[in-house]
């Protein structure tokens, strides 16, 4: 692999940097968007347990709601509804507070996905740039630029730069694009799941408004 990188010339190094960044984003987002991380069952049980108490007129410990708010993404949303209900706020106020919080939460779910899409776009362009550099070396080796005689070694080097960069650019762009599409779909799915759970809790606490 190291020999291939050396043969590809200097244009390969920006592509290598993109591949490292893209791989890091894929791994981080795949870990972050796990269902047990976004909406762990323990937090759901705590939230709906608190809702049962509030619905029957029992106040919940403030510290318990604060802990729920910090535990997970869904915990943050459900804790907001519980806090509004415990404070005696109306359904309209609870919805307004939840909407503001949800906008911030969805941004967290989509974090870095724009960068991954950018990598998928830039990688083939950088590969094309490396190809152009290789073609320039080919023309130079054949005396088209300098007017000198052909140099077979430079010709082979230029061809290797062109082909390696093209291949490496596609090798980065294809999985980056596929990963972006998959993670985007996963983020949308997690958003829908959180919205449904928040709706269920809201319906439980404000039955007259559902």
């Amino acid at each position: 692999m190291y020999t291939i990188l050396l043969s590809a010339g200097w244009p390969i190094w920006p592509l290598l940097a993109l591949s490292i960044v893209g791989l890091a984003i894929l791994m981080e987002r795949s870990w972050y968007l796990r269902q047990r991380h976004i909406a762990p069952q323990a937090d759901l049980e705590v939230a709906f347990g608190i809702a049962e108490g509030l619905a029957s007129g029992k106040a919940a410990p403030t510290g318990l709601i604060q802990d729920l708010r910090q535990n997970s993404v869904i915990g943050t949303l459900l804790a907001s509804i519980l806090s509004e209900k415990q404070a005696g706020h109306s359904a309209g106020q609870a919805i307004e507070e939840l909407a503001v919080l949800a906008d911030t939460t969805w941004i967290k779910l989509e974090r870095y996905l724009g960068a991954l899409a950018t990598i998928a776009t830039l990688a083939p362009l950088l590969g094309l740039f490396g190809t152009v550099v290789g073609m320039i070396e080919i023309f130079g080796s054949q005396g088209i630029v300098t007017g000198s005689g052909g140099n077979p070694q430079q010709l082979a080097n230029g061809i290797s730069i062109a082909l390696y960069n093209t291949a490496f650019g596609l090798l980065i762009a294809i999985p980056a694009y596929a990963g972006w599409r998959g993670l985007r779909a996963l983020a949308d799915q997690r958003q829908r799941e959180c919205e449904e759970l928040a709706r269920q809790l809201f319906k439980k606490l404000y039955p007259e408004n559902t």
Side-chain angles (χ1 to χ4, degrees), residues 30-43:
S30 297
W31 177 85
Y32 182 84
L33 292 172
R34 296 173 302 163
Q35 186 174 26
R36 62 181 180 179
H37 182 261
I38 301 298
Q41 187 63 34
D43 286 356

Side-chain angles (χ1 to χ4, degrees), residues 19-33 112-113 116 119 172 174-183 186:
S19 69
I20 295 173
V21 174
L23 180 61
I25 293 175
L26 283 171
M27 294 176 63
E28 190 276 338
R29 287 291 90 186
S30 297
W31 177 85
Y32 182 84
L33 292 172
Y112 306 131
L113 293 185
L116 188 59
I119 290 174
I172 296 171
I174 292 172
Y177 180 74
W180 172 74
R181 289 294 300 267
L183 290 173
L186 186 58

Side-chain angles (χ1 to χ4, degrees), residues 99-152:
V100 173
L101 186 60
D103 288 339
T104 304
T105 302
W106 306 152
I107 291 174
K108 292 180 180 179
L109 295 181
E110 299 172 0
R111 184 181 297 168
Y112 306 131
L113 293 185
L116 188 59
T118 301
I119 290 174
T121 303
L122 285 181
L125 295 178
L126 286 175
L128 179 60
F129 173 73
T131 301
V132 172
V133 172
M135 296 301 294
I136 292 174
E137 290 202 11
I138 291 174
F139 294 147
S141 70
Q142 297 306 299
I144 297 176
V145 176
T146 63
S148 60
N151 188 325

Side-chain angles (χ1 to χ4, degrees), residues 35 38-39 44 48 73-78 81 95 98-107 109-110 186-204 210:
Q35 186 174 26
I38 301 298
L44 299 179
F48 281 88
V73 172
I74 191 60
T76 301
L77 298 175
L78 300 184
I81 301 173
I95 291 176
L98 181 62
V100 173
L101 186 60
D103 288 339
T104 304
T105 302
W106 306 152
I107 291 174
L109 295 181
E110 299 172 0
L186 186 58
D188 290 342
Q189 179 183 344
R190 295 291 176 258
Q191 179 178 337
R192 290 191 296 269
E193 292 171 353
C194 289
E195 289 174 345
E196 176 59 23
L197 290 168
R199 188 192 67 80
Q200 292 178 12
L201 185 68
F202 187 86
K203 182 178 180 180
K204 191 177 189 64
T210 56

Side-chain angles (χ1 to χ4, degrees), residues 4 6-11 127-142 151-167:
I4 292 176
L6 291 180
S7 300
W10 65 265
L128 179 60
F129 173 73
T131 301
V132 172
V133 172
M135 296 301 294
I136 292 174
E137 290 202 11
I138 291 174
F139 294 147
S141 70
Q142 297 306 299
N151 188 325
Q153 184 177 359
Q154 288 184 355
L155 173 62
N157 185 57
I159 293 174
S160 67
I161 291 177
L163 296 181
Y164 280 137
N165 280 277
T166 301

